Amino acid sequence: NPLPGTRQSVYGVPVVNRVNDFWNTTLGSGIKIAGTTGWVAEVIWQDRDSRVIDFCSSTGTGTEDNFAGTGSERFYFKPRPGAWGNVLIGVRLKTGGDGYLWSWHLWITGYNPDEAPSSWQENVFAYTIPGGGQVHHYTGGSWNTTAYTNKFIMDRNLGAASADRSATLAATRGLYYQFGRKDPFPATHNSFSTVTLYNIAGQNGKTGNVAIPITENQSSFEGAVKNPTTFYAPPGSGDWLLNNDYYTALWNNPSTWNTISAAGKSFFDPCPPGWKLPINGTWNMFAIGNVNNPSNYNSGGNDAGWEFYMDNVLKNAWAYYPASAMGTDRVAGYCWSSTPINTTHCHHLSFFAATMFTQGMSVRGSGFPVRCVQEE
């Protein structure tokens, strides 16, 4: 999961908590990290050209390229001083195996939404937090229910460096996700074929360019976990997932792991601990007539997007949503909810220069940004 708002600390990740939880379910194949199982944690990709993290000992010594562990050990890493960006770490078996057993997205950022106030105030929608940035509280739709009582939503997309429109899309669009997948894809203008990633596993820490693999095949849950960098885009099918038995669940939340409910958080939910993906209805107050400076969409530009007012009466605070999504970057904007519709489609916020849909729908295989709301 992402780790928001913290730098220059040492973090220990309990590998077996996720690996064994997943692979010992009916969806997995019985793979298990036991007391003598050797494994390696390594950087799969990062979106910065300078090194973001080092693997190290539990006390912070060392600046290693990877971490070799055994059994129930944790792997340890530390962000480099002043570093920021997104990193994907994967754990694989030391010998044998045909992919990653699990992977973790690290969001290294000075933005710390966990410093949000404990409750919201009437007619106050934007709350500045220590260290920079804001958290928001909208009105209407889901915000008028107990599910969102005294809850806040982040002011930026997950993985974004900034919520400031003037910072351009490169900083504000965040990362892209296929519906129901836990692992992000780096944001890019139109195609993953030209994306630049760094510190690719197997290059011993060297920088390099790589194309994100795009396949026309569908995948199983296991296949997606093993191959977190593969974008599944089957023609003629709305779902990247093969034989999806969980199409009615929030963000493909298998019932064997968590209770399916409007308040539930999926095992695959990419938001940080304490945060989750928003449910359908989160953006009900947004509308073309409820934006700051309607003539300033700037379609095709580096700051394309809308500044939506968070209530439609006072109109004294707004949230910026960049026009970003796989294939429509700078022209149309999207943001996934966690709510499915049917076997092929799910709900989202979508908007264009002259229209929008607060409860839009797209196929599950689309690559869209996400924005996190506090858990109950």
Side-chain angles (χ1 to χ4, degrees):
N1 286 324
L3 300 171
T6 47
R7 298 179 179 176
Q8 302 179 31
S9 300
V10 176
Y11 297 91
V13 179
V15 172
V16 297
N17 284 17
R18 280 296 187 243
V19 172
N20 289 358
D21 282 353
F22 174 73
W23 290 102
N24 286 335
T25 67
T26 56
L27 298 177
S29 59
I31 297 173
K32 184 177 182 180
I33 290 183
T36 59
T37 305
W39 49 264
V40 175
E42 61 192 9
V43 171
I44 302 174
W45 61 259
Q46 65 176 49
D47 62 1
R48 305 295 299 164
D49 59 358
S50 58
R51 191 157 168 168
V52 178
I53 70 160
D54 291 309
F55 291 99
C56 60
S57 70
S58 60
T59 59
T61 60
T63 56
E64 305 300 324
D65 291 336
N66 57 39
F67 188 103
T70 303
S72 60
E73 280 188 77
R74 297 170 179 247
F75 69 79
Y76 295 90
F77 71 91
K78 56 185 178 183
R80 289 200 165 185
W84 61 275
N86 294 281
V87 182
L88 192 67
I89 292 178
V91 164
R92 57 175 174 81
L93 293 176
K94 190 172 184 179
T95 58
D98 59 352
Y100 290 101
L101 299 178
W102 198 258
S103 47
W104 292 260
H105 164 217
L106 312 180
W107 184 19
I108 312 297
T109 173
Y111 176 62
N112 188 2
D114 290 337
E115 295 183 338
S118 59
S119 62
W120 70 289
Q121 303 172 43
E122 190 73 26
N123 296 327
V124 178
F125 304 97
Y127 298 79
T128 300
I129 55 177
Q134 297 177 334
V135 291
H136 294 156
H137 186 93
Y138 303 165
T139 188
S142 304
W143 298 89
N144 293 340
T145 68
T146 56
Y148 280 19
T149 299
N150 286 330
K151 301 303 176 187
F152 299 93
I153 189 170
M154 294 185 187
D155 70 352
R156 64 198 67 192
N157 290 344
L158 181 55
S162 174
D164 186 349
R165 181 175 190 163
S166 65
T168 77
L169 283 178
T172 60
R173 58 190 169 190
L175 302 170
Y176 297 158
Y177 294 83
Q178 292 185 287
F179 187 93
R181 295 190 68 178
K182 66 184 182 65
D183 294 302
F185 293 89
T188 181
H189 182 26
N190 280 317
S191 171
F192 290 135
S193 63
T194 57
V195 69
T196 300
L197 298 175
Y198 303 91
N199 271 10
I200 307 305
Q203 293 188 346
N204 298 318
K206 298 178 182 178
T207 62
N209 300 331
V210 64
I212 293 294
I214 300 178
T215 176
E216 294 185 346
N217 298 319
Q218 289 179 297
S219 177
S220 61
F221 280 117
E222 309 97 284
V225 169
K226 287 182 177 181
N227 301 284
T229 61
T230 299
F231 191 93
Y232 299 100
S237 173
D239 200 348
W240 62 269
L241 182 59
L242 181 66
N243 299 325
N244 185 0
D245 295 328
Y246 303 99
Y247 66 87
T248 62
L250 294 178
W251 202 256
N252 283 355
N253 179 5
S255 58
T256 53
W257 291 336
N258 212 337
T259 301
I260 299 174
S261 69
K265 179 176 178 177
S266 166
F267 194 81
F268 297 121
D269 190 308
C271 294
W275 298 80
K276 66 175 184 178
L277 294 175
I279 58 177
N280 189 43
T282 295
W283 303 285
N284 276 11
M285 77 300 302
F286 291 176
I288 290 300
N290 194 27
V291 298
N292 178 48
N293 195 357
S295 63
N296 200 31
Y297 186 86
N298 196 18
S299 182
N302 280 327
D303 61 346
W306 284 125
E307 296 164 337
F308 293 106
Y309 286 113
M310 290 180 271
D311 87 304
N312 56 11
V313 178
L314 299 175
K315 295 186 176 181
N316 58 9
W318 59 79
Y320 173 57
Y321 279 76
S324 61
M326 176 61 181
T328 65
D329 190 81
R330 304 176 191 173
V331 176
Y334 294 83
C335 195
W336 277 126
S337 80
S338 62
T339 308
I341 300 173
N342 52 35
T343 58
T344 56
H345 288 73
C346 302
H347 279 297
H348 57 65
L349 167 71
S350 59
F351 55 91
F352 310 84
T355 188
M356 66 167 305
F357 301 93
T358 60
Q359 298 189 29
M361 54 185 284
S362 288
V363 294
R364 296 165 181 262
S366 303
F368 295 158
V370 301
R371 194 167 292 204
C372 305
V373 67
Q374 281 182 317
E375 289 186 69
E376 286 87 316

